[in-house]
Protein backbone atom coordinates (compact mmCIF):
# COMPACT_ATOMS: atom_id res chain seq x y z
CA UNK A 1 0.00 0.00 0.00
CA UNK A 2 2.90 2.37 0.68
CA UNK A 3 4.92 1.94 -2.52
CA UNK A 4 2.18 0.42 -4.74
CA UNK A 5 4.47 -2.47 -5.62
CA UNK A 6 1.47 -4.53 -6.73
CA UNK A 7 1.20 -2.27 -9.79
CA UNK A 8 4.69 -2.96 -11.13
CA UNK A 9 3.79 -6.29 -12.81
CA UNK A 10 0.95 -4.51 -14.61
CA UNK A 11 3.30 -1.76 -15.83
CA UNK A 12 5.82 -4.38 -16.91
CA UNK A 13 3.27 -6.31 -18.98
CA UNK A 14 2.06 -3.08 -20.55
CA UNK A 15 5.60 -2.11 -21.61
CA UNK A 16 6.32 -5.51 -23.13
CA UNK A 17 3.17 -6.41 -25.03
CA UNK A 18 0.42 -4.03 -24.00
CA UNK A 19 -2.55 -4.75 -21.78
CA UNK A 20 -5.38 -7.01 -22.86
CA UNK A 21 -8.68 -7.88 -21.27
CA UNK A 22 -7.22 -11.16 -20.03
CA UNK A 23 -4.61 -9.21 -18.04
CA UNK A 24 -7.27 -7.67 -15.83
CA UNK A 25 -7.57 -9.14 -12.37
CA UNK A 26 -10.68 -11.07 -11.43
CA UNK A 27 -13.09 -9.42 -9.05
CA UNK A 28 -12.69 -10.66 -5.50
CA UNK A 29 -15.62 -12.51 -3.98
CA UNK A 30 -15.94 -9.88 -1.27
CA UNK A 31 -16.38 -7.22 -3.98
CA UNK A 32 -19.04 -8.93 -6.09
CA UNK A 33 -22.30 -7.03 -6.31
CA UNK A 34 -24.51 -10.08 -5.95
CA UNK A 35 -22.88 -11.16 -2.68
CA UNK A 36 -22.75 -7.67 -1.19
CA UNK A 37 -26.32 -6.99 -2.26
CA UNK A 38 -27.55 -10.28 -0.77
CA UNK A 39 -25.81 -9.58 2.53
CA UNK A 40 -27.11 -6.02 2.81
CA UNK A 41 -30.63 -7.10 1.92
CA UNK A 42 -30.49 -9.90 4.47
CA UNK A 43 -29.39 -7.54 7.24
CA UNK A 44 -32.00 -5.01 6.17
CA UNK A 45 -34.84 -7.53 6.33
CA UNK A 46 -33.88 -9.63 9.36
CA UNK A 47 -32.13 -7.41 11.87
CA UNK A 48 -33.82 -4.08 11.21
CA UNK A 49 -37.29 -5.14 10.19
CA UNK A 50 -38.95 -2.68 12.57
CA UNK A 51 -36.50 0.19 12.04
CA UNK A 52 -35.27 0.03 8.46
CA UNK A 53 -32.50 2.61 8.35
CA UNK A 54 -29.76 2.13 5.82
CA UNK A 55 -26.92 3.53 7.93
CA UNK A 56 -27.60 0.96 10.66
CA UNK A 57 -27.51 -1.88 8.15
CA UNK A 58 -24.27 -0.58 6.63
CA UNK A 59 -22.66 -0.24 10.05
CA UNK A 60 -23.74 -3.76 10.95
CA UNK A 61 -22.13 -4.96 7.73
CA UNK A 62 -18.89 -2.95 7.70
CA UNK A 63 -18.72 -1.50 11.21
CA UNK A 64 -15.93 -3.67 12.61
CA UNK A 65 -13.45 -2.86 9.83
CA UNK A 66 -14.48 0.78 9.92
CA UNK A 67 -13.82 1.06 13.66
CA UNK A 68 -10.44 -0.67 13.38
CA UNK A 69 -9.23 1.84 10.80
CA UNK A 70 -10.57 4.65 12.96
CA UNK A 71 -8.50 3.46 15.92
CA UNK A 72 -5.40 3.32 13.70
CA UNK A 73 -6.05 6.86 12.50
CA UNK A 74 -6.52 8.02 16.08
CA UNK A 75 -3.21 6.49 17.23
CA UNK A 76 -1.43 8.01 14.25
CA UNK A 77 -2.88 11.49 14.70
CA UNK A 78 -2.31 11.48 18.45
CA UNK A 79 1.30 10.46 17.86
CA UNK A 80 1.80 13.35 15.45
CA UNK A 81 0.20 15.87 17.82
CA UNK A 82 1.75 14.72 21.09
CA UNK A 83 4.90 12.71 20.48
CA UNK A 84 6.40 14.37 17.42
CA UNK A 85 6.44 17.99 18.73
CA UNK A 86 7.96 16.84 22.02
CA UNK A 87 10.66 14.88 20.22
CA UNK A 88 11.46 17.81 17.92
CA UNK A 89 11.61 20.21 20.87
CA UNK A 90 13.98 18.01 22.84
CA UNK A 91 16.14 17.43 19.78
CA UNK A 92 16.46 21.17 19.10
CA UNK A 93 17.24 21.88 22.75
CA UNK A 94 20.35 19.70 22.43
CA UNK A 95 21.88 22.28 20.07
CA UNK A 96 20.72 25.27 22.12
CA UNK A 97 22.06 24.14 25.47
CA UNK A 98 25.55 23.21 26.55
CA UNK A 99 26.11 19.48 25.95
CA UNK A 100 26.31 17.35 29.09
CA UNK A 101 27.09 13.73 29.77
CA UNK A 102 24.50 11.55 28.08
CA UNK A 103 22.92 14.42 26.16
CA UNK A 104 24.30 13.18 22.84
CA UNK A 105 22.70 9.77 23.37
CA UNK A 106 19.41 11.50 24.16
CA UNK A 107 19.71 13.54 20.97
CA UNK A 108 20.13 10.37 18.92
CA UNK A 109 17.13 8.88 20.71
CA UNK A 110 14.93 11.86 19.90
CA UNK A 111 16.17 11.89 16.30
CA UNK A 112 15.23 8.23 15.96
CA UNK A 113 11.85 9.01 17.51
CA UNK A 114 11.25 11.75 14.93
CA UNK A 115 12.06 9.35 12.10
CA UNK A 116 9.79 6.73 13.67
CA UNK A 117 6.86 9.16 13.87
CA UNK A 118 7.28 10.19 10.23
CA UNK A 119 7.49 6.58 9.04
CA UNK A 120 4.53 5.61 11.21
CA UNK A 121 2.51 8.43 9.69
CA UNK A 122 3.39 7.32 6.16
CA UNK A 123 2.56 3.66 6.74
CA UNK A 124 -0.63 4.24 8.73
CA UNK A 125 -1.97 6.97 6.43
CA UNK A 126 -1.50 4.87 3.31
CA UNK A 127 -2.88 1.72 4.91
CA UNK A 128 -5.93 3.34 6.48
CA UNK A 129 -6.70 5.36 3.34
CA UNK A 130 -6.53 2.24 1.18
CA UNK A 131 -8.60 0.26 3.68
CA UNK A 132 -11.27 2.94 4.00
CA UNK A 133 -11.46 3.34 0.23
CA UNK A 134 -11.93 -0.42 -0.04
CA UNK A 135 -14.76 -0.30 2.50
CA UNK A 136 -16.35 2.68 0.77
CA UNK A 137 -16.15 0.88 -2.58
CA UNK A 138 -17.89 -2.17 -1.12
CA UNK A 139 -20.50 0.09 0.48
CA UNK A 140 -21.14 1.77 -2.86
CA UNK A 141 -21.45 -1.59 -4.62
CA UNK A 142 -23.79 -2.95 -1.96
CA UNK A 143 -25.97 0.16 -2.00
CA UNK A 144 -26.11 0.24 -5.80
CA UNK A 145 -27.12 -3.41 -5.93
CA UNK A 146 -29.70 -2.87 -3.20
CA UNK A 147 -31.18 0.21 -4.88
CA UNK A 148 -31.42 -1.65 -8.18
CA UNK A 149 -33.22 -4.56 -6.54
CA UNK A 150 -35.63 -2.27 -4.73
CA UNK A 151 -36.38 -0.38 -7.93
CA UNK A 152 -37.45 -3.63 -9.60
CA UNK A 153 -39.99 -4.36 -6.86
CA UNK A 154 -41.65 -0.94 -6.73
CA UNK A 155 -45.40 -0.94 -7.15
CA UNK A 156 -47.19 1.25 -9.68
CA UNK A 157 -48.20 3.61 -6.88
CA UNK A 158 -44.62 4.06 -5.74
CA UNK A 159 -43.37 4.45 -9.31
CA UNK A 160 -45.53 7.55 -9.61
CA UNK A 161 -43.85 9.05 -6.54
CA UNK A 162 -40.28 7.91 -7.33
CA UNK A 163 -39.07 8.90 -10.76
CA UNK A 164 -36.33 7.21 -12.75
CA UNK A 165 -34.28 10.39 -12.46
CA UNK A 166 -34.36 10.11 -8.69
CA UNK A 167 -33.10 6.53 -8.84
CA UNK A 168 -30.34 7.49 -11.28
CA UNK A 169 -29.34 10.36 -9.01
CA UNK A 170 -29.04 7.95 -6.09
CA UNK A 171 -26.86 5.58 -8.10
CA UNK A 172 -24.63 8.17 -9.77
CA UNK A 173 -24.30 10.95 -7.19
CA UNK A 174 -25.35 9.98 -3.68
CA UNK A 175 -23.66 6.59 -3.64
CA UNK A 176 -20.41 8.09 -4.92
CA UNK A 177 -20.27 10.37 -1.86
CA UNK A 178 -19.49 7.31 0.25
CA UNK A 179 -16.12 6.99 -1.48
CA UNK A 180 -15.01 10.41 -0.24
CA UNK A 181 -16.88 10.75 3.03
CA UNK A 182 -15.40 7.71 4.74
CA UNK A 183 -11.86 9.03 4.33
CA UNK A 184 -12.50 11.96 6.66
CA UNK A 185 -15.46 10.88 8.80
CA UNK A 186 -13.25 9.66 11.67
CA UNK A 187 -11.81 13.15 12.06
CA UNK A 188 -15.18 14.25 13.44
CA UNK A 189 -14.21 12.66 16.76
CA UNK A 190 -10.42 12.64 16.37
CA UNK A 191 -10.08 16.39 15.80
CA UNK A 192 -11.60 17.52 19.14
CA UNK A 193 -9.26 15.17 21.00
CA UNK A 194 -6.33 16.53 19.00
CA UNK A 195 -7.33 20.07 19.94
CA UNK A 196 -7.52 19.23 23.65
CA UNK A 197 -4.14 17.48 23.62
CA UNK A 198 -2.59 20.31 21.61
CA UNK A 199 -3.91 22.96 24.01
CA UNK A 200 -2.54 21.04 26.98
CA UNK A 201 0.92 20.72 25.42
CA UNK A 202 0.98 24.40 24.47
CA UNK A 203 -0.19 25.38 27.95
CA UNK A 204 2.74 23.52 29.47
CA UNK A 205 5.15 25.50 27.31
CA UNK A 206 3.74 29.03 26.99
CA UNK A 207 1.03 29.13 29.65
CA UNK A 208 -2.26 31.00 29.29
CA UNK A 209 -1.22 32.49 25.95
CA UNK A 210 -1.98 29.10 24.38
CA UNK A 211 -5.71 29.66 24.86
CA UNK A 212 -5.57 32.95 22.97
CA UNK A 213 -3.97 31.37 19.92
CA UNK A 214 -6.37 28.42 19.90
CA UNK A 215 -9.36 30.74 20.36
CA UNK A 216 -8.43 32.67 17.23
CA UNK A 217 -8.31 29.42 15.26
CA UNK A 218 -11.65 28.26 16.67
CA UNK A 219 -13.27 31.55 15.67
CA UNK A 220 -12.67 30.65 12.04
CA UNK A 221 -15.16 27.76 12.28
CA UNK A 222 -18.37 29.82 12.74
CA UNK A 223 -16.94 32.54 10.49
CA UNK A 224 -16.41 30.14 7.61
CA UNK A 225 -19.82 28.55 8.23
CA UNK A 226 -21.57 31.93 8.08
CA UNK A 227 -19.71 32.90 4.92
CA UNK A 228 -20.64 29.60 3.28
CA UNK A 229 -24.31 29.98 4.25
CA UNK A 230 -24.36 33.58 3.02
CA UNK A 231 -22.85 32.61 -0.31
CA UNK A 232 -25.40 29.83 -0.79
CA UNK A 233 -28.31 32.15 -0.01
CA UNK A 234 -27.03 35.03 -2.12
CA UNK A 235 -29.24 35.45 -5.23
CA UNK A 236 -26.34 36.93 -7.18
CA UNK A 237 -24.37 33.69 -6.98
CA UNK A 238 -25.29 31.34 -9.82
Amino acid sequence: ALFFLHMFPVFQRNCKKGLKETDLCDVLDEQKAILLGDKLESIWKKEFSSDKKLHKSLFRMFGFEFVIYGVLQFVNELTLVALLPLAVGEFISYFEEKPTEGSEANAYTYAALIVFCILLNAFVNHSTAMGLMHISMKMAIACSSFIYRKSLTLTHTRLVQVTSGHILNLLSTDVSHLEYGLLVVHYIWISPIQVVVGIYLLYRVIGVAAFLGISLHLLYIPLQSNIFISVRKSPSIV
Side-chain angles (χ1 to χ4, degrees), residues 85-104:
L86 293 176
V88 172
E90 294 295 334
F91 182 71
I92 294 175
S93 66
Y94 167 76
F95 299 96
E96 294 179 343
E97 301 174 358
K98 188 176 181 180
T100 59
E101 184 179 355
S103 60
E104 184 177 355

Side-chain angles (χ1 to χ4, degrees), residues 41-56:
E41 188 174 11
S42 175
I43 294 173
W44 172 274
K45 289 181 178 179
K46 292 181 180 179
E47 302 194 21
F48 300 102
S49 56
S50 59
D51 185 16
K52 293 184 177 181
K53 293 186 177 179
L54 184 60
H55 68 276
K56 291 184 178 181

Side-chain angles (χ1 to χ4, degrees), residues 6-216:
H6 58 281
M7 293 301 299
F8 279 90
V10 179
F11 296 148
Q12 190 176 14
R13 286 198 299 269
N14 183 45
C15 292
K16 288 183 177 180
K17 56 180 181 179
L19 290 178
K20 300 179 181 178
E21 187 176 350
T22 54
D23 294 323
L24 297 176
C25 300
D26 294 331
V27 178
L28 299 176
D29 289 338
E30 60 176 325
Q31 299 172 353
K32 291 183 177 179
I34 185 171
L35 298 179
L36 291 171
D38 288 342
K39 189 174 182 180
L40 181 59
E41 188 174 11
S42 175
I43 294 173
W44 172 274
K45 289 181 178 179
K46 292 181 180 179
E47 302 194 21
F48 300 102
S49 56
S50 59
D51 185 16
K52 293 184 177 181
K53 293 186 177 179
L54 184 60
H55 68 276
K56 291 184 178 181
S57 301
L58 289 174
F59 187 80
R60 179 71 176 82
M61 189 172 174
F62 303 102
F64 180 75
E65 293 179 76
F66 182 68
V67 170
I68 292 297
Y69 286 118
V71 172
L72 290 175
Q73 279 187 327
F74 172 71
V75 172
N76 179 49
E77 295 297 333
L78 197 63
T79 301
L80 290 178
V81 170
L83 195 57
L84 184 58
L86 293 176
V88 172
E90 294 295 334
F91 182 71
I92 294 175
S93 66
Y94 167 76
F95 299 96
E96 294 179 343
E97 301 174 358
K98 188 176 181 180
T100 59
E101 184 179 355
S103 60
E104 184 177 355
N106 291 334
Y108 279 113
T109 302
Y110 290 122
L113 191 58
I114 293 171
V115 174
F116 169 76
C117 290
I118 295 173
L119 290 177
L120 177 67
N121 178 52
F123 277 103
V124 174
N125 269 348
H126 280 76
S127 300
T128 53
M130 189 170 182
L132 289 172
M133 289 180 69
H134 188 212
I135 294 175
S136 64
M137 180 188 69
K138 291 193 292 184
M139 277 189 180
I141 294 172
C143 289
S144 298
S145 176
F146 189 52
I147 292 170
Y148 175 72
R149 297 179 187 196
K150 293 292 289 184
S151 65
L152 295 178
T153 59
L154 291 176
T155 62
H156 291 288
T157 305
R158 294 295 297 171
L159 283 173
V160 175
Q161 301 174 354
V162 180
T163 63
S164 59
H166 180 67
I167 297 174
L168 289 175
N169 186 62
L170 286 174
L171 292 172
S172 61
T173 304
D174 295 345
V175 170
S176 65
H177 290 166
L178 291 171
E179 300 179 11
Y180 307 102
L182 286 189
L183 291 175
V184 296
V185 71
H186 280 300
Y187 289 99
I188 295 175
W189 63 272
I190 292 176
S191 297
I193 299 175
Q194 280 185 297
V195 171
V196 172
V197 174
I199 291 174
Y200 171 72
L201 294 176
L202 286 173
Y203 177 76
R204 288 183 55 187
V205 177
I206 61 177
V208 183
F211 295 100
L212 178 61
I214 294 297
S215 300
L216 291 176

